[in-house]
Amino acid sequence: MARPLGEATREAYGKALAELGRENPNIVVLDGDLSKSTMTKYFAQEFPGRFFNVGIAEANMVGVAAGLAAAGKVAFASSFACFVMCKGFDQLRLAVAYSDNNVKIVGTHGGISIGEDGVSQMGHEDIGLALSLPGFVVMVPADGAQTRAAVRAAAEHIGPVYIRVGRPKAPIVYENGCPDFQIGKAIMLRDGRDVTLIANGLMVAAALDAAEMLEQDGVSARVLDMHTVRPLDEEAVEKAARETGAIVVAEEHLLHTGLASQVAMAVARLHPVPMRYVGLTQYAESGAPDALMRKYGLTGENIAREALEIVRSRASSVV
Amino acid sequence: MVTSDVSLKQLERTARKLRRHIVKMLAIAGSGHPGGSLSAIDILTALFFGNVMRYNPQNPRWEDRDRFILSKGHAVPALYAVLAEAGFIPEEWLWQLRKIDTPMQGHPSVKDLPAVEASTGSLGQGLSIGLGMALAARIDGKPYRVYVMIGDGESEEGQVWEAAMAASHFHAGNLTAILDYNHYQLDGAIGEIMSIEPVVSKWEAFGWAVREIDGHDMKQILDALHWARETREQPSIIVAHTVKGKGVSFMEGNNEFHGKAPTQSELEQALAELAD
Ligand SMILES: Cc1ncc(C[n+]2csc(CCOP(=O)(O)OP(=O)(O)O)c2C)c(N)n1
Ligand SMILES: [Mg+2]
């Protein structure tokens, strides 16, 4: 069941950025002394004249990105997800979101799968912060191929975008690339009747694993890759609620401000059905990535367990 | 409490032992930051064992204790090494660095260890927290001093300078910063990524008393720390010129070891070089 590991999504981001740089001389890139980790180094090596390492100064980085965008550039700015979102937040609010500047923030090392560095370097709340800014497109790609597609889509989209990518090698979900990628359009990876598993980032592969486990238990699960958290694909969410009658949302983020809460709002408004959530409810800790994912419940097993419970409780309430 | 008669030789010996602990705990952890831990350890050794700071390992939250904040939190192996040597934590804990279900977080965490004064790891925050503690000491009429170690790369954060301005404005004479000036940040040399020069005149312009030293010369470190203790009218900063990776030949000035743990064979070589 274990899917083969592909490149890390941050690696795909760095490569995609360099590709875009070759095609579009208007793209500029900023980093805050993490170019070797965010992988903006590839762009920096090829296009030193369009790359600005501002040092360890994330607020300044976002402000400078806003200025570059205001002067007509497509500005990508990167740091770890927590640093760029937390330290750059007021600048993201006024100079980017409220001013509708064409800035693309790519936060790397999102989630707890960064492992040993611990909480201070982990993105627990980056997606929530991005979602709290009106006008921001927010994407969390599942693997390398989808990251390339998302970065390309971000460059084409006019307006603020946040993309969260991760540190570890990501299981391959899209073996043949992600050619049909569209901002705001969920991808159904597997159809099913009894329950829908909605996930993004690393949790997409986990949801696919869960669907296979559920099949063993005679439960047919639909899997939706909700790579775009905003604008949310409400049509796909409503359809899932109507056609499968139960939804489990899984994400590597605090549940109360991420994908789960966005899906729950849509479900409550469009077609209320029982829901369960798999994600973070507290700060994590240092440890090996896999061990942390298990300890904090971010596994296919846990998604399957929640799905099974929700399906069984529905069956018993019908009886 | 610290002992009163400490010879320089003894301190240098302790520092060498703590360097061995640092490389060993990083090798066992398999990840972490040797460079900035090794550049800082002589200063931390002097602070904790050179009759400078007052503290009580039996009562880490003793109200009158002097405080030390490691603002460049990624150098936490250096902090854990002194905390173990001082008796705040058992030495065995060092080998649990970065492991799940232990208090030995990859960056300092107040929630996990009572001897840690501030959770750090997002660079730029420690000096503000230290200033707050220093102001509280004044309100409460407490005699303690607050020491904050910052990195040279870290000094690029605006918050450092906001704290610097406020500390002199509020005449926080019980606040001492120590700049670990090892000339490298993550992506490369400070001068190439983002220069912080002229750093001494910057701090002077912000109203601080400044002393420049060789951050690996134990005598100079102790003299500067005692000078800082006597500086009560204004905040003080020790600009310590250091070498990243100091003490291990293949790590010295080699920024590859900013954030890479030694392998087993590298550990063996490092331990051989650091032998008593
Ligand atoms: C706000 C923030 N941005 C980025 C980082 C990632 N980071 C960790 S260490 C480091 C370089 C620090 O350089 P310096 O302060 O000179 O430390 P030292 O050389 O002593 O290791 C960076 C950029 C961070 N921890 N916090
Ligand atoms: Mg440095």
Side-chain angles (χ1 to χ4, degrees):
Chain A
M1 202 179 326
R3 253 149 263 282
L5 290 179
E7 61 188 342
T9 49
R10 63 178 164 132
E11 176 75 15
Y13 161 57
K15 293 274 166 64
L17 209 49
E19 268 169 41
L20 282 170
R22 279 170 229 140
E23 296 165 21
N24 183 353
N26 212 28
I27 287 180
V28 296
V29 176
L30 300 97
D31 204 297
D33 193 33
L34 279 164
S35 71
K36 292 179 191 164
S37 304
T38 63
M39 301 298 164
T40 60
K41 66 177 181 188
Y42 298 125
F43 186 97
Q45 282 154 8
E46 260 187 75
F47 308 104
R50 288 191 267 147
F51 176 78
F52 302 96
N53 193 335
V54 299
I56 310 170
E58 296 77 9
N60 183 47
M61 175 177 76
V62 174
V64 174
L68 282 157
K73 303 295 172 195
V74 180
F76 279 79
S78 281
S79 178
F80 284 8
C82 58
F83 302 140
V84 63
M85 291 312 299
C86 298
K87 296 215 156 185
F89 192 71
D90 189 35
Q91 290 72 18
L92 287 166
R93 177 176 182 266
L94 196 66
V96 180
Y98 184 53
S99 309
D100 200 15
N101 268 320
N102 200 17
V103 172
K104 322 296 172 187
I105 302 295
V106 181
T108 68
H109 296 63
I112 67 172
S113 57
I114 71 161
E116 290 82 356
D117 267 345
V119 171
S120 71
Q121 322 288 301
M122 291 171 168
H124 289 75
E125 56 288 86
D126 53 308
I127 296 163
L129 289 170
L131 285 171
S132 71
L133 297 169
F136 254 85
V137 167
V138 180
M139 293 188 274
V140 187
D143 70 357
Q146 192 175 60
T147 301
R148 287 165 195 264
V151 171
R152 198 159 273 281
E156 281 162 20
H157 174 85
I158 298 170
V161 175
Y162 176 64
I163 302 178
R164 180 226 252 193
V165 293
R167 173 177 183 265
K169 289 190 181 337
I172 296 172
V173 174
Y174 298 95
E175 281 162 28
N176 308 309
C178 204
D180 301 329
F181 184 90
Q182 247 184 294
I183 291 176
K185 198 94 196 77
I187 298 174
M188 195 198 293
L189 290 170
R190 182 181 170 125
D191 201 1
R193 295 178 311 275
D194 303 325
V195 61
T196 300
L197 315 178
I198 299 180
N200 61 20
L202 285 181
M203 300 312 287
V204 173
L208 287 169
D209 292 347
E212 285 172 24
M213 294 172 213
L214 288 165
E215 198 172 14
Q216 310 286 310
D217 288 306
V219 173
S220 155
R222 177 180 296 184
V223 176
L224 287 183
D225 173 359
M226 198 62 77
H227 51 74
T228 307
V229 188
R230 192 173 62 213
L232 188 72
D233 188 345
E234 295 195 336
E235 206 181 305
V237 171
E238 183 177 1
K239 220 160 160 298
R242 280 189 197 286
E243 294 174 2
T244 69
I247 291 175
V248 179
V249 188
E251 62 178 327
E252 193 189 350
H253 188 268
L254 285 166
L255 289 170
H256 58 272
T257 62
L259 177 66
S261 39
Q262 298 297 304
V263 173
M265 279 207 295
V267 169
R269 178 162 52 82
L270 299 168
H271 188 83
V273 295
M275 292 185 68
R276 291 291 179 93
Y277 313 104
V278 171
L280 299 174
T281 53
Q282 58 184 314
Y283 287 118
E285 64 189 284
S286 289
D290 289 347
L292 289 179
M293 295 296 268
R294 279 195 301 277
K295 175 165 177 179
Y296 291 89
L298 304 179
T299 60
E301 287 79 7
N302 206 29
I303 298 173
R305 198 165 45 79
E306 294 288 345
L308 209 53
E309 275 180 25
I310 200 171
V311 168
R312 290 204 170 132
S313 66
R314 181 178 57 193
S316 60
S317 67
V318 170
V319 172
Chain B
M1 291 291 180
V2 290
T3 50
S4 48
D5 281 327
V6 277
S7 73
L8 292 175
K9 280 272 162 294
Q10 254 176 300
L11 283 172
E12 284 160 5
R13 215 163 153 230
T14 305
R16 203 154 49 242
K17 171 182 173 191
L18 300 187
R19 283 194 159 85
R20 291 196 295 273
H21 284 175
I22 288 170
V23 289
K24 186 174 164 194
M25 74 177 101
L26 284 162
I28 294 174
S31 63
H33 300 83
S37 301
L38 292 170
S39 63
I41 193 64
D42 290 318
I43 296 160
L44 266 67
T45 302
L47 264 173
F48 278 79
F49 310 111
N51 207 6
V52 177
M53 278 177 50
R54 290 170 311 149
Y55 55 84
N56 179 359
Q58 269 65 58
N59 182 10
R61 295 270 144 196
W62 172 42
E63 284 187 8
D64 290 354
R65 72 191 182 282
D66 291 321
R67 270 81 166 158
F68 172 71
I69 295 176
L70 183 66
S71 190
K72 38 167 272 186
H74 57 283
V76 74
L79 178 61
Y80 290 161
V82 290
L83 292 183
E85 183 69 14
F88 285 101
I89 59 173
E91 195 172 295
E92 305 84 74
W93 285 19
L94 297 179
W95 325 128
Q96 302 178 347
L97 175 69
R98 297 180 154 239
K99 299 266 189 275
I100 195 167
D101 294 324
T102 75
M104 302 299 280
Q105 297 301 302
H107 289 75
S109 164
V110 286
K111 220 171 44 119
D112 290 272
L113 287 178
V116 168
E117 299 285 359
S119 295
T120 52
S122 177
L123 293 166
Q125 300 195 17
L127 195 56
S128 301
I129 299 170
L131 172 57
M133 292 173 175
L135 295 175
R138 184 194 296 168
I139 295 169
D140 295 341
K142 296 266 182 212
Y144 66 80
R145 176 168 290 274
V146 185
Y147 300 87
V148 181
M149 176 176 275
I150 60 176
D152 44 6
E154 180 179 24
S155 305
E156 293 159 2
E157 285 285 359
Q159 185 180 350
V160 171
W161 302 99
E162 295 173 26
M165 195 180 320
S168 70
H169 179 80
F170 293 129
H171 306 288
N174 54 349
L175 179 65
T176 296
I178 302 155
L179 173 63
D180 182 5
Y181 201 173
N182 60 26
H183 298 275
Y184 283 95
Q185 52 191 105
L186 189 145
D187 269 338
I190 298 280
E192 281 163 36
I193 304 298
M194 185 59 59
S195 173
I196 60 170
E197 284 298 329
V199 78
V200 168
S201 53
K202 274 194 185 80
W203 284 96
E204 280 168 353
F206 274 80
W208 286 55
V210 186
R211 183 171 272 207
E212 255 182 301
I213 61 162
D214 172 345
H216 301 304
D217 179 320
M218 205 47 91
K219 169 113 182 34
Q220 288 189 35
I221 298 171
L222 282 179
D223 285 350
L225 288 171
H226 288 113
W227 160 81
R229 256 196 345 194
E230 300 311 314
T231 305
R232 299 209 169 94
E233 301 306 310
Q234 63 188 130
S236 48
I237 180 165
I238 298 166
V239 174
H241 293 277
T242 57
V243 174
K244 209 158 170 172
K246 176 73 178 179
V248 178
S249 60
F250 57 92
M251 291 184 181
E252 285 192 5
N254 174 6
N255 209 39
E256 252 185 62
F257 283 99
H258 165 78
K260 187 171 73 105
T263 62
Q264 188 57 37
S265 66
E266 285 166 344
L267 171 65
E268 278 157 27
Q269 188 186 335
L271 289 177
E273 290 182 18
L274 294 168
D276 247 335

